[in-house]
Amino acid sequence: MNHVVTLQDAITAYADFMEPTSAELDAIEREMPVILADVELLDAHIATIDRTPTELDTRRIRRARRQALAARVALLNRTAAAGAPGGAA
């Protein structure tokens, strides 16, 4: 009888102990604005892959880039404020 070893890896990859912890889910929730802003930026870039960007496309990319940067700055500020003693940033 031949055993397929890779099947075991596929089965254990979804075991209960492999679920994300509450701390990991909280971290994902905190980073969600950054993730969504990055997705919007990627969407803007993908829309112009096969054609020359119009002025409207350029504005959309610029706006998405600013929003992604603002989301990252907000995340960093929240992280710094949470880690500062006394709640001061």
Side-chain angles (χ1 to χ4, degrees), residues 39-54 56-58 60-61 64:
V39 168
E40 185 65 32
L41 179 58
L42 283 172
D43 285 345
H45 279 292
I46 289 170
T48 62
I49 284 178
D50 60 346
R51 61 185 168 89
T52 304
T54 64
L56 186 60
D57 293 329
T58 304
R60 181 179 177 208
I61 291 170

Side-chain angles (χ1 to χ4, degrees), residues 2-23:
N2 294 333
H3 295 284
V4 179
V5 179
T6 56
L7 183 59
Q8 180 65 30
D9 292 337
I11 292 170
T12 57
Y14 301 105
D16 290 339
F17 64 89
M18 299 292 288
E19 294 294 324
T21 64
S22 294

